[in-house]
Structures are given as structure tokens and as C-alpha cells.
Amino acid sequence: MELKNKKWTHDEFYATREEVLTHWPTGKEVDFAEAVKYHENIPAKRHFAKRLVKAKKNGETLTQPRAGVALIDEHINLLNFLKTEGEADLLPSTIDSYTRQNQYKEAQNGIEESLKAGRSLLNGFPAVNHGVAGVRRVVESVDAPLQVRHGTPDARLLGEITIAAGYTSYEGGGISYNIPYAKSVSLEKTIYDWQYCDRMIGIYAEHGIEINREPFGPLTGTLVPPSVSHAVAIIEGILAAEQGVKNITLGYGQCGNLIQDIAAIRALEQLAEEYMNKHGYNGCVLTTVFHQWMGGFPQDEAKAFGVISWGAATAALAKATKVIVKTPHEALGIPTKEANAQGLRTTKQMINMLKDQAFPLTSELELEINIIKAETRCILDKVYELGGNDYAVGAVRAFEAGVLDVPFAPSKFSLNKILPARDNNGAVRLFDVGNLPFTPDLVAFHQDKMAERARAEGRSASFQMVIDDIYAISKGNLVGRPR
């Protein structure tokens, strides 16, 4: 395995594919030629990429939940409920934890135990075990675009089965589904395995089938500075484009300050187009996804609806192409379908009320966009340099050096030197910039912002601010002020 950002040849892909499809017996159900014919007949209203393109053209913000249960009929019922009662525009199949770790035998046990219990005993949909035929039952029973959402470092067999079954969007990436999810899986391995996934979708594209790809934007979901998540998203977008992917959605997780969040979505789309064009990937359609707050939620449902509404309003004002919706049960565990639908309807109402309103480009917003762009360029350009003009190699070396660093990540391959905290207005800044390759003026900007908050609170800037901010929203605030 020699890692480099270079399109796999057909021989390289098919040699690996032969082995991938043996990982579980359902792999033998994958028939690429049949899958291409099936995709050719999927109507536009159920086609993820086409729906996103339409939304971008019309300035819509589409809604999408997370959802998945163990058994096929129950999963179909859940998705149809979220479409009819939740008014969801796009639907997911969130994959269970065993499948995410390629533990298909344990997933099979979960299916069998769920059948005995008469309810789901898995925290998602075990698509690999259900196979192409089982997963296609879902595709044919739900009248909406469908995406696979998961968190799988090695998602090759999952991708083969679900795309062959008729799913038209696939989430994840070699960085974003490793660093925030795994402890000891090497980046070389996951980037390589995700090149396989992207090449598979690139080969579908060569046959006229456009599958949407979405790197996971929020990363650890806790006070992740926009420039860090943007750098990862754009790198994963470039890696996907190199393998032939033509439709890419780049994501960002809400931080909570309205100006910063709107600036982040605008900067993300502009920077992605800049870097894609710079490196010759001019044929990609780019869209954006805004994730409602991914950190701790209040247990009180009324307060949780406040957090959801704020995320919905921000997504609408930022003009993100779609928004991933939270539920009022976020603090408690897996939501009921009714709670999931409530979060969706809350979000839809807010989007509909704001869809005709444009947020003006104020001097404050423009400054924030410029700050995010400057920081992201510092990271991306250093990654490219470290990799000898190769983003795949550069990403591995950048994490080793701390040039890329994700706060609070479980992975031992992330240095975890950066420490984020909010400034006095609630925007996420860096209490400690770690080894991020920022210019001196950018480092000073963060120091000044933390000092300003420290003065306002009458305390010195310290690690306690970081802790206070992690818990603030779950306790009813944005900024973790001292009592």
C-alpha cells in the first residue's frame, strides 16, 4: 500500500474489490452491471445529487434527520414516518455500531435478538447483513432521496452493498470517519480505504450514475474551529474528486455564534471552489450541509427545542443546501420517532419563515469570513507542502506534526494540542493554537479575543474557560461564564 492522491486504475480497484466482497457472505450479491441499470431508472425526486442541485439552484435549505433501526420493515416504517410526520426532504439510514467496526457477526446476532424481542436492539441499520436484496426493499419502499450515514473507518463493503441496492448518497471520509471515531486506526489505512469508496463512486460516474458524497463536517462536534473542520472537509473533497466523484457536499457543525456560523458556510463554499479549481477539479458540483449543534444538549425538551430552532435559523440565514436536524431527546439517547419528527417540523417551520430573508454582508461578517479563509489557507497550504504536493500524504504528515489537529479526538494519531474556547461574543476561538501553522497576526487575533473575554469576566484566560464552554449549552447558555 503506497498512499498518494492519485486516481486508482481499474486494475487496482478490481483487484482490491475481489477481496472486499468476501468480507461477509452478502458481498456476493453485488452485481455492478445490474446496479447501474437499476440506478438509471431511479426518478429524480428520489435522487440525492439531483435534489441537492435543484435546492442549490433555488436557494432552498433541505431538512434531513438521523435515523436507523435493526429490522427492515421497522426501518421502512421509521423513514416513512419521518417523511410524512416530520416533513423531511432527505432521509438517512444511520448504520449500527457493530457494522461501523466491521463486526458483522455481532450485527447478525443483533438482528436475531431484535426479531426475538420484537424491537430494535441495535442503534442503527445493519445494511451489510441485510445485503443488496434487503437494502433494496428499503429503497423501493421510501419515496425520498436516501443517504447512508455511519462513522465507519473501513466502509468499503458497506458502500458496495448500499450503492448497489440503490442508495444515491454516501457519507464519510478517511479523516473524518477516523480521527473523531477511532483510537488506533492509522490514517494511511483509512485514507486508502476511503479512496476505494471514492473510486467505486467514480466508476459509477463513468457509467453515467452520479452518487453524492459527503465528508463528515463536524468532526468531534465540540467547539471545533471552522478553519480546522474546513481544512479537513476540503482535503476530503479533493481526495474524492481525484477518484472521479462529481457531486460533493461539504459540511460544518454549528458553533453557536450567528455571525461566525454564517461566515463559516459562506467561506466553506468559496474556499472549496477555489481549491478545487486550483487543483484542476472543475467538474464537481459542490453543495453545503449545516449540522445543528453537535455538543451537549439540555435535558429539558423545551430548552432543547430552543437549541434546535437556533440551528435551524442559522442554517436558513447561511443558505446552506441542507441541514442535519437534532431531536429534543438528544441529551437522553436514541430518540423516539415522534421526537425525531418534532425536531424536523421545528426546523422546517423556522426555515420556511426565513427563506425569503437574506443576511446582509456586514463589515463584521466580512471580517469573520476573511479570518476563516486566512486560517484555512494556512492549514491547507502547509498540508500540501508537507505532502510534497500531495494532500493524502500531507494529511498523514500534518496530523503527525499537529498542523492538522482536532480538539477532543479519541485518535492517538491526533496530537490534541489545540484548545478551543469561546470569545466574549460566543464565537469559537483558540485558547491554545497548538502547532497550527497560523501567521503571527492570526495567533495574536485569538490571543486578543481570549484576553477580551477574560477582562469582561474578571478572571484570567485559562483551561477553565474551555471546560465551562463545553457544558454551557447543556446548562442553558452559549458562553460558559463564571458564576
Side-chain angles (χ1 to χ4, degrees), residues 236-412:
E236 290 191 333
I238 287 171
L239 297 181
E242 172 63 26
Q243 298 301 329
V245 177
K246 300 299 183 185
N247 189 289
I248 299 171
T249 301
L250 300 182
Y252 165 76
Q254 180 182 13
C255 285
N257 174 282
L258 181 66
I259 299 293
Q260 185 178 47
D261 286 335
I262 293 174
I265 287 292
R266 294 190 186 182
L268 176 59
E269 191 161 16
Q270 292 166 14
L271 279 168
E273 288 177 356
E274 174 188 325
Y275 275 80
M276 286 285 195
N277 291 336
K278 176 180 175 181
H279 294 291
Y281 307 113
N282 303 315
C284 287
V285 176
L286 294 173
T287 50
T288 56
V289 52
F290 183 86
H291 294 250
Q292 291 178 355
W293 176 245
M294 293 285 290
F297 255 66
Q299 291 191 13
D300 182 286
E301 288 190 22
K303 293 180 178 180
F305 278 120
V307 179
I308 291 167
S309 297
W310 187 232
T314 307
L317 291 171
K319 304 299 181 187
T321 320
K322 71 171 183 174
V323 57
I324 304 296
V325 177
K326 289 290 191 174
T327 83
H329 288 178
E330 189 65 31
L332 307 174
I334 298 173
T336 63
K337 66 181 189 296
E338 291 80 9
N340 209 335
Q342 287 176 326
L344 284 161
R345 291 200 306 275
T346 298
T347 298
K348 178 74 78 173
Q349 174 73 15
M350 189 64 76
I351 288 171
N352 287 343
M353 290 171 65
L354 290 170
K355 64 184 178 184
D356 300 315
Q357 301 183 45
F359 197 90
L361 182 61
T362 61
S363 58
E364 187 181 359
L365 178 58
E366 189 170 23
L367 173 64
E368 197 66 47
I369 290 171
N370 290 338
I371 287 288
I372 293 170
K373 284 184 173 181
E375 293 178 1
T376 308
R377 286 192 188 105
C378 285
I379 298 172
L380 287 173
D381 294 349
K382 192 65 176 178
V383 171
Y384 194 59
E385 177 191 322
L386 286 172
N389 300 342
D390 186 300
Y391 281 109
V393 177
V396 175
R397 293 175 180 170
F399 270 100
E400 289 173 352
V403 164
L404 273 172
D405 199 356
V406 177
F408 317 116
S411 174
K412 68 181 184 181

Side-chain angles (χ1 to χ4, degrees), residues 18 21 62 75 117 131 137-138 159 170 178 197 221 243 254 273 295 332 353 395 403 405-406 426 431 434 446-447 480:
E18 195 172 319
L21 295 180
L62 306 176
H75 188 60
R137 278 180 55 200
V138 177
Y170 201 64
N178 176 346
C197 296
Q243 298 301 329
Q254 180 182 13
E273 288 177 356
L332 307 174
M353 290 171 65
V403 164
D405 199 356
V406 177
F431 170 71
H446 286 273
Q447 291 172 340

Side-chain angles (χ1 to χ4, degrees), residues 71-140:
L71 305 177
I72 293 172
D73 289 339
E74 285 76 2
H75 188 60
I76 291 168
N77 292 338
L78 171 61
L79 295 185
N80 282 326
F81 183 89
L82 295 176
K83 184 177 187 295
T84 56
E85 299 301 317
E87 303 172 20
D89 299 304
L90 309 166
L91 289 170
S93 284
T94 301
I95 303 301
D96 69 288
S97 293
Y98 287 130
T99 301
R100 296 181 190 200
Q101 299 302 317
N102 312 114
Q103 296 175 351
Y104 307 126
K105 184 177 179 181
E106 288 81 357
Q108 189 62 41
N109 291 338
I111 291 170
E112 292 165 6
E113 292 300 317
S114 296
L115 284 167
K116 291 177 188 175
R119 62 186 180 89
S120 180
L121 296 178
L122 295 175
N123 64 345
F125 183 66
V128 168
N129 295 72
H130 288 310
V132 173
V135 175
R136 189 166 289 179
R137 278 180 55 200
V138 177
V139 173
E140 295 187 340

Side-chain angles (χ1 to χ4, degrees), residues 40 42 151 174 188 194 254 282 357 428 455-456:
E40 287 173 345
I42 294 175
E188 291 98 332
W194 274 90
Q254 180 182 13
N282 303 315
Q357 301 183 45
V428 172
R455 287 192 300 272

